[in-house]
């Protein structure tokens, strides 16, 4: 894969990770006025943007892995892609562009966004959300393991990718850590982007260093 594509993938992952990290900072408390809050829509649209950016950057991160682990990396990244689309993509779309609109139109339509959210959670969408959590975890472990084994990126990046999701199930028991649990996977995506950008720079520097050596040998 070309250096330009790898650099673009790294930038997308870094931007998506940074956007995802900002979401819990901007996210309002989920209380009675949640859908009326001015930041409910924007924070979730930012989450949706983070999902899109990360999704576009993941293929480049897979391609940067050595051939011996690329299959494992691609399988893990695919699971992460699907699960993240369900968990954060659909959630970002609903709470960013649908339910707040229903709240502001409630007087005219009589539709209660809280009731709609409850109905959705109780149906097939709720089942998808519940299934996507374990799928994300399995995919992250596979992808992170491939990064560690491949050694094309720092080992710490692979470990962060593999374990960054672990606080999420714990946060259902201890809600106070939810913001950190939401941010950590995006910290991992941002670190993946930084590693990818660093690897591109290192390869470019190595190529420049090789040319004079080849000229001297000739």
């Amino acid at each position: 894969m070309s250096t330009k594509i790898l650099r673009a993938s790294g930038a997308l992952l870094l931007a998506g990770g940074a956007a995802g990290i900002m979401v819990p900072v901007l996210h309002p408390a989920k209380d009675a006025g949640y859908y009326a809050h001015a930041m409910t829509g924007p924070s979730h649209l930012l989450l949706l943007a983070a999902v899109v950016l990360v999704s576009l950057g993941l293929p480049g991160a897979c391609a940067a892995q050595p051939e011996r682990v690329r299959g494992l990396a691609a399988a893990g990244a695919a699971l992460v892609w699907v699960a993240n689309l369900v968990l954060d993509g659909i959630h970002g779309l609903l709470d960013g562009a649908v339910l707040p609109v229903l709240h502001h139109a409630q007087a005219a339509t009589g539709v209660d966004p809280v009731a709609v959210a409850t109905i959705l959670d109780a149906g097939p969408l709720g089942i998808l959300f519940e299934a996507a959590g374990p799928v994300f975890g399995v995919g992250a472990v596979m992808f992170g393991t491939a990064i560690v084994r491949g050694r094309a990126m720092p080992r710490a990046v692979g470990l962060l990718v593999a374990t960054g999701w672990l606080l999420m199930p714990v946060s259902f028991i201890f809600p106070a850590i939810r913001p950190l649990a939401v941010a950590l996977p995006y910290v991992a995506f941002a670190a993946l982007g930084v590693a990818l950008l660093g690897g591109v720079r290192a390869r470019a520097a190595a190529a420049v260093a090789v040319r004079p050596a080849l000229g001297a040998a000739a």
Side-chain angles (χ1 to χ4, degrees):
M1 184 172 284
S2 73
T3 297
K4 288 183 179 180
I5 294 176
L6 291 176
R7 185 180 291 115
S9 298
L12 287 165
L13 284 165
L14 179 56
I21 291 167
M22 286 302 299
V23 169
V25 177
L26 301 174
H27 195 288
K30 198 160 188 178
D31 52 22
Y34 174 66
Y35 292 116
H37 197 285
M39 287 308 298
T40 296
S43 64
H44 287 89
L45 290 176
L46 181 63
L47 179 62
L48 180 59
V51 171
V52 172
L53 291 168
V54 167
S55 297
L56 292 172
L58 281 175
C62 293
Q65 303 310 311
E67 188 174 355
R68 68 181 186 278
V69 298
R70 198 171 294 152
L72 179 62
L79 293 177
V80 168
W81 183 88
V82 171
N84 203 41
L85 180 64
V86 172
L87 286 170
D88 287 354
I90 294 177
H91 173 61
L93 181 62
L94 287 175
D95 281 24
V98 178
L99 297 176
V101 174
L102 290 180
H103 167 79
H104 292 297
Q106 187 172 358
T109 64
V111 178
D112 180 6
V114 176
V116 172
T118 302
I119 292 169
L120 291 174
D121 286 341
L125 188 58
I127 296 173
L128 281 176
F129 284 149
E130 290 180 2
V135 170
F136 188 98
V138 171
V141 170
M142 291 171 63
F143 191 24
T145 299
I147 293 170
V148 171
R149 289 173 55 191
R151 299 182 180 179
M153 294 179 177
R155 179 183 177 90
V157 173
L159 293 174
L160 185 57
V161 169
T163 62
W165 60 278
L166 286 173
L167 279 184
M168 183 53 72
V170 179
S171 72
F172 289 99
I173 303 172
F174 303 103
I177 67 170
R178 180 66 58 82
L180 179 60
V182 170
L184 269 180
Y186 288 95
V187 172
F189 291 137
L192 192 57
V194 170
L196 195 54
L197 289 168
V200 169
R201 285 194 294 269
R203 282 190 291 274
V208 170
V210 166
R211 290 192 195 106
L214 290 176

